[in-house]
Amino acid sequence: MAIEGTEVTFQRPLRLGMVGGGKDAFIGAVHRIAARLDNSFELVAGALSSTPDKAIASGQALGLKADRIYSSFEDMAKREARLKDGIEAVAIVTPNHVHYPAAKAFLKRGIHVICDKPMTSTLADAKKLAKAAAASPALFILTHNYTGYPMIRQAREIVQNGDLGTIRVIQVEYPQDWLTVEQHNKQADWRTDPARSGAGGATGDIGTHAYNLACFVTGLRAESLAADLQSFVPGRQVDDNGHVMLRFDGGARGMLWCSQVAPGNENNLKLRVYGDKAGIEWHQEDPNYLQYSPFGEPAQRLTRGGAGMLESIAPTTRIPPGHPEGYLEGFANLYREAADAIRAHAKGETQTTLLPGIQEGLAGVEFVDACVRSSTRNAAWVKLG
């Protein structure tokens, strides 16, 4: 069922491969659900684990044909590029340090890349990947999934329409609690290992989401920041909490808090933006609503799919108001838009899109790099880039 005013069309799903996302991998399953939700992609090949036995078992469990299950992404990229019915796009859902070499391998062969964030584990790799993407005929798409939420799209349009006036203050936070104590499992182990996650812990894992969201909604980029990062859990090699002050282009000021050691918080991402005319506020854990507060007037509660929802946002929502949409649907919006962009690209058409890409990926890794540099200098102000 679709919201009144939306149009559902059916096309052949694009052939998708996946790197990572095998047994016990949370995010791989999320990407597969999102890719299927609107019939945008069909998973036909995978290098689902760096461990050959696990890669084979994972591929078999997903029903992949034996000759489309690979033990390495290098082998997958080489063979799929030669096949008549080879993959048209690949989803990269590995730990961060694999993003660069895997994306480069597929971009080199003209296969479109859909990559989980952050784009890479180091700024040097991010810059090299940007060059690889520029030299490739293929598209590079980064899955900052919160940009796919309908009310975030609405918030962005409210800002662009000038309804907030001149932006003065941006506050964004993303606290979790799952790393409050030392953890040893697949998800925790690589996220707290700087060799796999990069120098940033919470800043790379969830701080990049918070920063990207603030930039996506406001259209602004930070020029400089001052970051105070902590590793509260003894022996932890990456930050698990960070307080960041931001100076944006145009004069706006911001504060960003990311934490994975805040008991009572699950995925409590929040964004508040204040201009000289009005303010907006959005909570990820209650994502179907957006508060819009014109100065001197009663606050308005805007509802996904409800009265006041902008017509341009309608395609991002599937069911009537009151039936929650959120995380999976936000991801699915990006996958559907990625499929549309790939089809347009095949026709030689240029399509205007809100999909995050190389520039957003670079901005995220620059943010992490600047946070680490600032914190090592006692929270000194540093420039981004």
Side-chain angles (χ1 to χ4, degrees):
M1 182 177 183
I3 294 293
E4 184 178 353
T6 66
E7 181 179 345
V8 179
T9 58
F10 294 96
Q11 303 183 64
R12 173 188 68 81
L14 300 178
R15 296 182 295 275
L16 180 70
M18 182 168 282
V19 177
K23 184 180 179 183
D24 301 326
F26 156 74
I27 201 65
V30 169
H31 280 255
R32 290 191 289 271
I33 292 169
R36 294 197 308 267
L37 191 58
D38 297 308
N39 202 42
S40 299
F41 293 89
E42 178 186 8
L43 185 69
V44 299
L48 301 168
S49 174
S50 58
T51 303
D53 289 347
K54 187 179 289 187
I56 293 171
S58 298
Q60 291 173 339
L62 292 173
L64 298 181
K65 294 180 179 179
D67 63 345
R68 307 297 286 275
I69 301 173
Y70 300 89
S71 58
S72 75
F73 66 77
E74 293 94 343
D75 291 344
M76 178 176 162
K78 291 176 184 177
R79 184 168 185 269
E80 290 292 324
R82 295 196 302 265
L83 293 176
K84 184 177 180 180
D85 63 343
I87 59 172
E88 294 159 281
V90 62
I92 299 174
V93 294
T94 64
N96 303 341
H97 71 296
V98 182
H99 291 182
Y100 166 63
K104 181 183 177 182
F106 288 92
L107 288 171
K108 179 180 178 181
R109 292 166 177 84
I111 296 172
H112 303 290
V113 171
I114 302 170
C115 184
D116 208 15
K117 61 82 230 162
M119 187 167 78
T120 58
S121 59
T122 69
L123 184 54
D125 280 352
K127 292 178 178 178
K128 288 187 288 186
L129 184 53
K131 291 181 180 179
S136 172
L139 300 176
F140 179 90
I141 295 156
L142 192 69
T143 53
H144 271 299
N145 61 301
Y146 300 113
T147 65
Y149 281 49
M151 300 316 288
I152 283 297
R153 297 284 180 92
Q154 175 120 355
R156 177 186 170 91
E157 287 212 22
I158 287 173
V159 172
Q160 288 185 330
N161 291 340
D163 294 334
L164 267 58
T166 300
I167 302 301
R168 292 172 168 172
V169 177
I170 303 165
Q171 293 189 321
V172 62
E173 61 185 61
Y174 197 158
Q176 301 174 331
D177 68 0
W178 72 289
L179 292 177
T180 296
V181 297
E182 186 176 1
Q183 297 277 0
H184 289 290
N185 55 57
K186 182 174 182 177
Q187 298 303 320
D189 288 347
W190 78 258
R191 282 179 168 83
T192 56
D193 176 5
R196 290 182 284 175
S197 69
T203 49
D205 195 23
I206 55 178
T208 49
H209 270 314
Y211 179 65
N212 173 263
L213 194 66
C215 296
F216 179 81
V217 169
T218 65
L220 302 177
R221 292 291 183 272
E223 296 177 335
S224 59
L225 61 76
D228 183 21
L229 309 183
Q230 297 80 40
S231 301
F232 280 118
V233 174
R236 185 164 287 164
Q237 299 181 68
V238 294
D239 60 88
D240 49 29
N241 186 83
H243 299 87
V244 187
M245 291 193 296
L246 300 158
R247 292 173 178 167
F248 288 89
D249 50 17
R253 294 296 186 262
M255 292 193 299
L256 183 152
W257 172 44
C258 59
S259 182
Q260 293 176 315
V261 292
N265 288 278
E266 294 171 344
N267 279 280
N268 200 11
L269 173 61
K270 297 177 183 177
L271 175 68
R272 296 177 291 276
V273 182
Y274 303 102
D276 59 3
K277 293 182 180 179
I280 51 175
E281 182 169 345
W282 179 81
H283 296 190
Q284 193 276 147
E285 292 187 348
D286 194 13
N288 292 276
Y289 305 98
L290 174 69
Q291 180 171 298
Y292 170 60
S293 304
F295 177 68
E297 300 177 25
Q300 301 175 28
R301 189 189 196 213
L302 304 177
T303 304
R304 178 201 54 78
M309 183 173 180
L310 298 173
E311 184 178 348
S312 59
I313 309 303
T316 64
T317 185
R318 298 165 179 78
I319 55 179
H323 298 287
E325 287 185 338
Y327 188 73
L328 295 174
E329 292 86 354
F331 255 112
N333 284 334
L334 298 190
Y335 267 93
R336 182 174 61 195
E337 291 169 359
D340 291 343
I342 290 169
R343 292 188 179 104
H345 187 79
K347 298 175 183 177
E349 300 172 356
T350 300
Q351 185 182 63
T352 301
T353 177
L354 293 179
L355 286 168
I358 284 290
Q359 292 308 311
E360 290 79 8
L362 267 173
V365 181
E366 286 173 352
F367 166 78
V368 176
D369 178 78
C371 285
V372 173
R373 286 190 289 118
S374 171
S375 190
T376 58
R377 294 169 54 191
N378 197 28
W381 284 95
V382 299
K383 292 187 178 298
L384 276 81

